[in-house]
Amino acid sequence: MIPAALRRNHWMNQIAGHAAMRPDATALRYLGADTTWADLHAHTTSGAAALARRGVGFGDRVLLLTLNSPAVIETVMAINTLGAMAVPINIRLAPGEIAYIAEDADADVLIVDEPLAPMVAAVAQETSRIKQVIALGSAQGAESWADLIAEDPAGFEAPDVPEVTPALIMYTSGTTGRPKGAMLDHVNLFSQSVTCIRAMEQTDESDVAFLTAPLFHIAGLGSIAPSLVLGIPTVMHPLGAFDAAQTVDAWEKERATVVFNVPTQWQAICALPGIAERDLALRIISWGAAPAPESLLRQMSECFPNAMNVAVFGQTEMSPITCVLRGSDSLRKLGSVGQPIPTIQYRVVDENMNDVATGEVGEIIYRGPNLMQGYWRKPEATAEAFEGGWFHSGDLVRQDDEGFVWVIDRKKDMIISGGENVYCAEVENVLASHPEIVDVAVYGRGHEKWGEVPVAAVVLAEGSSLTSEALGDWLNERLARFKHPKDLIVLGELPRNASGKVVKGVLRENDPS
């Protein structure tokens, strides 16, 4: 009888299968260098054996403070081979924030990329939790990952890792309070793979995936997951300031067919001179994380007429995709995040968990194989999120009679002004289309008469002298009067956390009223 460990449906066995069937084919490419499936499997096995000798075992947590490279994938797979959990850390976090995650995750081992090694000393000033450091490259006081995978794995036997074993703890970036660690297991990650394969129609084994998303976000690891199932190569682009020209050059050189970028990156790409004439192999172009204006969607269609345009929407707790919008619907359903994927169950409900009528606003709640196990060591937060046996997303949405979903706001961001609900995201989306507004965030300000009123904090285009009165005139045909911002706060930049999300608590604390 075949041992259960060899029949498990997780990404370590997917790699092992490709290593057996196509050992010399490219799994990962980075800066022109290839990692074959055989390489990836060998490094995963030897790395797991070396970590086991250093005390890492089933259920342990290992921190990763890394950029993007094949070694990051090797470390994640080695950690998971032992039944341990990889805990990627956003590299933009401050030392105190990293120390909090180390303490919360109860993690002794940290894997760090060489350029980020100086951060370790700063973190050590905040916590003594970390006992061992392993460097991708070299760093003072750290062992080298290259040395670990060079060790002989003879005699190593990996434990059986059931699919329900947590593989990742992804810390959500809290705009209020401390971040929470979403536990994602191998069922979640395989479900994410199925979602991507279906949404992107990835049925061509000659596809070449191109990764720009950071691996410390679920968007990065979630993008890798379908490639590991399909056995197609993934070209990993170095992290750093986004350069549209370099990205397109890499697409052309690598013959990339499947790519993802956020809307601001697509704007920069579409603005490149001669972009429509480039010799590109793009088959699927996708976007998410923020709304895309109609003008950009039209530009993308004109620049890449032969590519299927797909928008994805979700959240870390859902591994992450929950809704998909195809390019053929993007203009017809402008502003929608698409239709819920068929592998999840969902409802749109009111405060009492009653289903709302089509077209009415309610919170979208989920169940299904994409859903996390819960928040690491936060039973109260988990119980609150899973109230009534469904995961409460915090997204207030409305759904039309064709099943398309529009996100109206985050539940905690809703303003009640004079008994009327004002959804910050709705107001922000309208304001973002103003030609003189570069960046915007809407929040609530206390008001004697109305309880709360909306206020807009904006970054204006160079040379703009937009006033609250002029903005009000412009909004008259676009938003109901009670939704109009009652004040316009002009800033040089909006306060953002390490994941790029606006921290509205800072705006409220510094409100000039």
Side-chain angles (χ1 to χ4, degrees):
M1 185 174 180
I2 298 174
L6 300 179
R7 295 183 285 111
R8 297 296 186 187
N9 189 12
H10 46 48
W11 48 16
M12 299 90 75
N13 275 355
Q14 290 155 13
I15 291 170
H18 299 313
M21 302 299 292
R22 49 179 72 85
D24 298 325
T26 299
L28 305 169
R29 179 173 297 140
Y30 181 70
L31 299 178
D34 285 357
T35 299
T36 67
W37 290 106
D39 294 334
L40 184 55
H41 179 52
H43 295 171
T44 294
T45 302
S46 57
L51 288 175
R53 283 191 291 271
R54 287 156 178 80
V56 177
F58 205 103
D60 288 341
R61 281 75 52 204
V62 178
L63 306 171
L64 286 86
L65 185 63
T66 58
L67 302 170
N68 279 13
S69 71
V72 180
I73 303 302
E74 295 171 4
T75 60
V76 172
M77 298 305 145
I79 293 163
N80 287 171
T81 295
L82 299 173
M85 302 171 228
V87 186
I89 298 174
N90 191 318
I91 64 172
R92 300 183 184 94
L93 294 181
E97 294 171 307
I98 296 173
Y100 170 79
I101 291 175
E103 294 282 356
D104 188 67
D106 199 17
D108 294 338
V109 180
L110 169 67
I111 296 175
V112 65
D113 237 316
E114 183 175 340
L116 303 173
M119 183 71 77
V120 177
V123 173
Q125 296 297 314
E126 305 285 340
T127 179
S128 59
R129 173 77 250 181
I130 299 167
K131 304 296 190 297
Q132 186 166 15
V133 179
I134 298 167
L136 305 183
S138 61
Q140 186 174 1
E143 288 193 275
S144 164
W145 177 252
D147 290 341
L148 264 67
I149 61 175
E151 294 178 4
D152 187 354
F156 170 70
E157 289 188 16
D160 179 23
V161 181
E163 288 89 339
V164 294
T165 306
L168 306 172
I169 300 181
M170 305 296 298
Y171 275 82
T172 61
S173 55
T175 53
T176 59
R178 292 289 199 176
K180 301 185 291 290
M183 294 185 290
L184 303 182
D185 61 29
H186 292 284
V187 174
N188 298 150
L189 296 167
F190 184 72
S191 297
Q192 160 69 8
S193 300
V194 172
T195 297
C196 288
I197 291 167
R198 175 188 176 275
M200 312 298 179
E201 297 182 9
Q202 287 186 248
T203 56
D204 190 338
E205 291 186 6
S206 66
D207 271 333
V208 176
F210 193 93
L211 180 73
T212 53
L215 291 171
F216 53 77
H217 281 172
I218 188 57
L221 286 169
S223 295
I224 286 281
S227 296
L228 299 182
V229 170
L230 295 168
I232 64 173
T234 298
V235 178
M236 308 178 75
H237 201 54
L239 287 187
F242 181 76
D243 187 304
Q246 286 182 2
T247 300
V248 173
D249 287 345
W251 287 350
E252 186 170 24
K253 178 182 178 183
E254 302 291 355
R255 310 310 296 158
T257 62
V258 184
V259 301
F260 172 89
N261 289 288
V262 298
T264 54
Q265 293 172 332
W266 280 116
Q267 287 176 332
I269 289 166
C270 290
L272 290 172
I275 183 63
E277 285 73 49
R278 294 292 292 267
D279 178 23
L280 301 175
L282 298 182
R283 192 173 70 79
I284 300 153
I285 58 175
S286 62
W287 55 276
E294 180 179 356
S295 58
L296 175 58
L297 294 173
R298 293 190 186 282
Q299 277 186 300
M300 292 171 70
S301 178
E302 292 166 1
C303 293
F304 311 104
N306 299 319
M308 181 174 70
N309 191 335
V310 181
V312 293
F313 170 78
Q315 60 194 111
T316 301
E317 292 89 339
M318 293 299 297
S319 307
I321 298 174
T322 61
C323 296
V324 172
L325 180 70
R326 300 294 177 87
S328 56
D329 295 315
S330 59
L331 293 177
R332 184 172 72 91
K333 300 290 185 179
L334 188 65
S336 170
V337 295
Q339 296 168 307
I341 59 176
T343 50
I344 62 168
Q345 302 169 49
Y346 76 97
R347 295 166 59 200
V348 182
V349 301
D350 62 19
E351 290 287 344
N352 298 312
M353 285 194 68
N354 299 310
D355 295 329
V356 303
T358 299
E360 291 187 3
V361 175
E363 182 182 14
I364 190 166
I365 58 178
Y366 302 112
R367 289 198 304 213
N370 304 57
L371 176 57
M372 69 169 182
Q373 290 191 359
Y375 295 115
W376 171 257
R377 291 187 175 174
K378 288 189 170 43
E380 292 181 2
T382 299
E384 181 182 357
F386 284 82
E387 182 184 358
W390 292 76
F391 173 67
H392 292 253
S393 70
D395 289 321
L396 295 173
V397 309
R398 63 177 175 85
Q399 191 172 28
D400 70 10
D401 54 6
E402 293 182 72
F404 286 84
V405 172
W406 275 259
V407 176
I408 306 303
D409 208 352
R410 287 292 295 170
K411 189 174 182 180
K412 293 179 181 177
D413 254 359
M414 187 180 73
I415 299 167
I416 300 178
S417 185
E420 296 280 5
N421 293 343
V422 179
Y423 302 107
C424 293
E426 179 187 19
V427 181
E428 288 165 352
N429 287 340
V430 174
L431 293 177
S433 67
H434 191 288
E436 295 180 48
I437 293 178
V438 175
D439 202 1
V440 59
V442 173
Y443 61 96
R445 174 190 290 171
H447 191 275
E448 268 187 39
K449 181 177 181 180
W450 303 116
E452 281 185 301
V453 293
V455 173
V458 300
V459 177
L460 297 179
E462 188 175 350
S464 171
S465 56
L466 182 67
T467 63
S468 185
E469 293 74 19
L471 179 62
D473 293 340
W474 183 83
L475 286 173
N476 281 335
E477 296 181 3
R478 295 171 172 84
L479 273 180
R481 290 285 300 176
F482 72 87
K483 299 179 183 178
H484 286 205
K486 301 306 183 282
D487 198 0
L488 189 68
I489 312 297
V490 179
L491 301 173
E493 62 179 4
L494 298 182
R496 295 182 181 276
N497 64 16
S499 293
K501 294 180 182 179
V502 175
V503 185
K504 293 191 178 181
V506 173
L507 294 175
R508 295 186 186 99
E509 289 170 9
N510 294 288
D511 185 82
S513 64

